[in-house]
Amino acid sequence: MQKLPRSFYTRKTSTVAKNLLGKILVRRIGRNILTGKIVETEAYLFNDTASHSFRGMTERNKVMFGKGGFLYVYFTYGMHYCANVVTFKEGIGEAVLIRAVEPKNGMKVMLKNRGLINERNHLKTTNGPAKLAQAFGLTKKQSGTDLTGSVIFITNGDTVPRSKIVTTTRIGISTAKEKKLRYYIKDNAWVSKK
DNA sequence: TCCACGATCGGCT
DNA sequence: GCCGATCGTGGAG
């Protein structure tokens, strides 16, 4: 499958967020390959009070202000990591939060990373931003990884018809709640529950 | 220095 | 539906 080029990421952030649905997130860990279809995303914009970039560049969020197509991972709630893709132009500070994926390859490793005993709870493996970050082994160490490289990247996958894409408000934020910047694939079981 | 808070999750009621 | 866990981050002092 075709790895997404830099030009995919440097477009308008809401466009990238929508177009990431159906694409395949790939992580190489040693001999293992973990892959999953992206089924839910959220866009975070430069003039957006809910975005980490809103108050300017800091040590934590500087990756967001870099070139598009890099991974931005942050730590929150004292115990969780969340993975984002930097988008649009350098110096602006926009990104797309990957909220959920449908696992494809490497389910065993993902379950192990999540501390789940068996596949009975398989739906809990990657149906939320902190869960998929844990399943894919994404932490602060992976923040700043170039997604056009060969360790963590995104490839073409299913083309999602417009009629299957739901646009709605974002989850878990205290400001800018009215902005419709969350996108997910309709009827997909792996989309996170509100 | 200090301190309030968070782009969440899982367990409990 | 609610609530506690748990700590890095950044703004205030």
Side-chain angles (χ1 to χ4, degrees):
Chain A
M1 274 201 277
Q2 193 71 40
K3 190 182 299 178
L4 301 181
R6 180 86 56 210
S7 57
F8 177 91
Y9 300 103
T10 53
R11 296 174 298 162
K12 190 177 163 190
T13 299
S14 56
T15 303
V16 177
K18 254 179 277 189
N19 284 305
L20 276 173
L21 297 177
K23 301 290 190 290
I24 310 295
L25 175 66
V26 183
R27 165 91 208 260
R28 283 178 40 191
I29 306 184
R31 281 188 199 78
N32 294 306
I33 303 255
L34 308 182
T35 69
K37 181 170 85 169
I38 297 170
V39 298
E40 180 181 357
T41 61
E42 282 179 1
Y44 285 86
L45 310 181
F46 78 97
N47 60 346
D48 177 355
T49 52
S51 173
H52 288 176
S53 63
F54 183 68
R55 286 165 196 83
M57 187 162 65
T58 66
E59 187 56 33
R60 174 173 70 153
N61 68 19
K62 61 185 180 187
V63 177
M64 275 185 90
F65 289 87
K67 228 189 289 183
F70 282 75
L71 188 69
Y72 168 51
V73 184
Y74 66 85
F75 181 78
T76 192
Y77 290 106
M79 60 185 83
H80 297 301
Y81 292 97
C82 294
N84 302 253
V85 168
V86 179
T87 53
F88 203 48
K89 296 176 193 164
E90 192 168 356
I92 306 292
E94 301 201 342
V96 173
L97 170 68
I98 303 177
R99 285 196 55 90
V101 306
E102 176 182 326
K104 293 291 185 192
N105 302 303
M107 190 60 170
K108 279 225 170 87
V109 175
M110 291 189 209
L111 288 167
K112 193 179 158 207
N113 287 345
R114 291 273 296 118
L116 300 174
I117 310 299
N118 59 52
E119 299 199 25
R120 265 178 203 232
N121 325 321
H122 68 293
L123 273 178
K124 294 186 176 178
T125 314
T126 55
N127 65 338
K131 296 184 206 178
L132 81 88
Q134 190 181 23
F136 277 74
L138 302 175
T139 69
K140 244 174 77 167
K141 282 186 195 132
Q142 281 69 43
S143 195
T145 302
D146 187 350
L147 296 172
T148 65
S150 58
V151 181
I152 306 171
F153 53 93
I154 302 174
T155 69
N156 279 318
D158 305 341
T159 301
V160 182
R162 202 190 295 268
S163 61
K164 293 280 277 181
I165 297 180
V166 180
T167 302
T168 183
T169 52
R170 294 174 295 182
I171 292 180
I173 52 175
S174 54
T175 61
K177 289 182 178 184
E178 74 291 348
K179 289 180 191 283
K180 291 192 166 182
L181 292 169
R182 174 174 174 240
Y183 308 94
Y184 64 88
I185 299 178
K186 201 174 180 175
D187 300 328
N188 186 288
W190 300 84
V191 171
S192 68
K193 303 285 180 284
K194 192 164 189 175

